[in-house]
Amino acid sequence: MCHQLLVSEVISETADAVSLIFELTSYQEERFGYRPGQFLTLRLPTPDGQLARCYSLSSSPHTDNALKVTVKRVAGGRASNWICDHVTPGTVLDALEPAGIFTPRSLDDDVLLLAAGSGITPVMSIIKSLLTVGTGSIVLCYANRDEASVIFAEELRRLELAHPGRLTVRHWWESVSGTPTEDGIGELIAGDTFSEVFVCGPKPFMNLARRALRANGIDRSRIQIERFASLGGDPFDGAVAAGRHGHAGGTGSSRLDLDTGGQRRTIDWPSDTRLLDLLLAHGVDAPSSCGEGVCASCECRVVEGEVRMVNNQVLDEEDIAEGYVLACQALPATPSVHISLE
C-alpha cells in the first residue's frame, strides 16, 4: 500500500549524508510497524522523472518514535543527490510500507556487524534495538574514507560508552589503512564468536567481507547480506498484487514442498507461475518488496530440485551454488522442488 509521508526534519549527518525524519499520521503509525534492519521504498519526483529507490531505516522500533532513513550521495546517483539537494521539512514523498529480511532472528544473540559507508544505516537500527531490548554482545567493524566520513560517529561513541562490554566498535579508515582487504577484515574479526553476521555496504566491500568470514569458518547460513540495486520498474504500480508478472508461456506443473513457519506444505506449482506469486496466492506470508530481482527481500533456499530465475541482479555465483534464489524470479525446472523460507 502506498502512503504519502511528510518530512518533518532533515539532519545533516556528514558532508555528503542526510537523514530524513518522517511525521506519521495515527493511521500511518499503525501501518508502519517495522523490524530493525528493514527499509522503505520511496518514490522521488526528480527532474529525470519519478524514481523508486529503497532506503534502509536507521531508526529503531525500540528506541525511536519517528521513522528515519539516512541517504548518502552517490557519484552520478540521480535519486540520492536529489534527496540531498532538494528534500526539506514539509516535503511529501510517496512510500511503501517497511519491508526486508535484513533483521536479527533473535535480539539476544551475539552478533557481528560489518558495514561500509552508508551501509551503517540498517546496522544502526539493529544496534539500538539489540542494546535496548536484547542481552547479547555486538562487534561493529565500520569502514569509511576517513574519520570525517563516519555517519553516526557521535552516536556510536555514546552507545559504546553507555554499554561497555556489550558494544565494541572497530573503525577502518582508508586514509590510515588503505582500501579494506580480506586479510585486514579477517584480522578485525579473528577470535570472536557470533550467532549471526550482518554485512552491508558497497558490493566490493561485501564481497571481500564474505570471503573473510568464510576464511574464518563462518557458515553462509549465519551471514545476512543486504543488497540493493536501482529499481528499473515502478514497485508502486501493483507491487503487492499476485500475478503481476504475467505468464511465461509454459505448461504443466511441479510439486512444491515448502518449509515455512516450522511446518511443511505441499503445493502444486504451475510452470508459468513465479514462486512469489504462488506463495501469495496460497496465503503464505512471504517477504517481498521490489518484485524485480534487485533487492533480495524474497531470498529463499532450494533444498532439493532446481529452479530457474528470470532475472537476478543481486545474488552471485556462490549464493546460487548454495541454493539461494529469488522467489519473485523463480520458476520450477524439475518435477519436484523443495524450498525453505526458514
Side-chain angles (χ1 to χ4, degrees):
M1 182 177 295
C2 177
H3 301 261
Q4 290 190 316
L5 299 188
L6 173 67
V7 177
S8 61
E9 185 179 0
V10 178
I11 301 172
S12 178
E13 302 288 0
T14 66
D16 55 6
V18 300
S19 290
L20 309 183
I21 309 296
F22 294 105
E23 179 180 310
L24 304 183
T25 66
S26 57
Y27 173 71
Q28 288 171 341
E29 288 177 351
E30 295 176 0
R31 301 292 304 186
F32 276 76
Y34 64 102
R35 301 191 303 275
Q38 291 194 302
F39 62 84
L40 295 183
T41 303
L42 302 179
R43 181 159 55 189
L44 310 170
T46 74
D48 298 320
Q50 292 189 332
L51 301 176
R53 293 291 187 270
C54 302
Y55 293 108
S56 296
L57 288 154
S58 53
S59 53
S60 162
H62 303 287
T63 63
D64 300 299
N65 294 324
L67 290 180
K68 178 171 70 172
V69 299
T70 303
V71 181
K72 183 178 180 179
R73 289 184 185 275
V74 177
R78 295 178 296 165
S80 61
N81 290 333
W82 184 86
I83 288 175
C84 291
D85 291 335
H86 297 286
V87 173
T88 60
T91 298
V92 175
L93 298 174
D94 290 341
L96 299 180
E97 293 167 11
I101 58 173
F102 189 72
T103 186
R105 299 185 185 96
S106 168
L107 296 179
D108 294 316
D109 287 337
D110 295 338
V111 300
L112 169 64
L113 308 169
L114 298 174
S118 60
I120 190 64
T121 303
V123 166
M124 179 58 76
S125 178
I126 293 171
I127 288 173
K128 291 188 289 187
S129 297
L130 291 173
L131 292 176
T132 301
V133 299
T135 59
S137 61
I138 306 165
V139 173
L140 166 65
C141 299
Y142 186 18
N144 282 281
R145 292 191 307 269
D146 49 40
E147 187 173 2
S149 302
V150 177
I151 304 173
F152 308 129
E154 184 55 37
E155 188 172 7
L156 286 170
R157 279 193 288 268
R158 288 199 306 267
L159 289 172
E160 193 172 21
L161 289 172
H163 300 275
R166 289 197 61 204
L167 173 62
T168 301
V169 180
R170 299 168 181 167
H171 289 284
W172 181 296
W173 296 328
E174 292 183 15
S175 59
V176 175
S177 304
T179 303
T181 63
E182 181 180 337
D183 289 342
I185 295 297
E187 291 176 5
L188 287 179
I189 65 177
D192 294 311
T193 57
F194 313 97
S195 298
E196 282 193 280
V197 181
F198 296 82
V199 183
C200 189
K203 187 174 182 178
F205 173 82
M206 293 196 294
N207 289 340
L208 72 87
R210 185 164 60 178
R211 291 195 298 269
L213 292 168
R214 297 302 292 271
N216 278 264
I218 299 177
D219 187 76
R220 171 65 173 82
S221 63
R222 290 194 286 148
I223 303 171
Q224 293 218 46
I225 299 174
E226 185 69 312
R227 311 172 180 89
F228 293 117
S230 295
L231 303 178
D234 183 3
F236 290 80
D237 183 17
V240 298
R244 67 180 291 269
H245 298 288
H247 296 288
T251 59
S253 64
S254 297
R255 169 192 167 116
L256 170 64
D257 292 318
L258 179 71
D259 294 336
T260 178
Q263 298 181 333
R264 174 77 56 83
R265 293 185 60 177
T266 299
I267 302 172
D268 185 59
W269 187 359
S271 61
D272 59 358
T273 300
R274 302 195 192 194
L275 177 58
L276 179 60
D277 292 342
L278 178 73
L279 299 180
L280 294 175
H282 283 266
V284 177
D285 185 17
S288 65
S289 181
C290 75
E292 295 185 8
V294 299
C295 80
S297 289
C298 62
E299 179 184 87
C300 56
R301 186 168 60 88
V302 177
V303 181
E304 293 183 49
E306 296 180 8
V307 306
R308 67 179 181 87
M309 286 189 286
V310 178
N311 179 41
N312 167 40
Q313 297 185 42
V314 291
L315 300 182
D316 59 24
E317 293 181 1
E318 184 176 353
D319 294 318
I320 295 171
E322 295 182 353
Y324 290 91
V325 298
L326 304 174
C328 72
Q329 301 298 314
L331 294 170
T334 53
S336 63
V337 184
H338 181 185
I339 297 282
S340 175
L341 295 180
E342 300 177 337

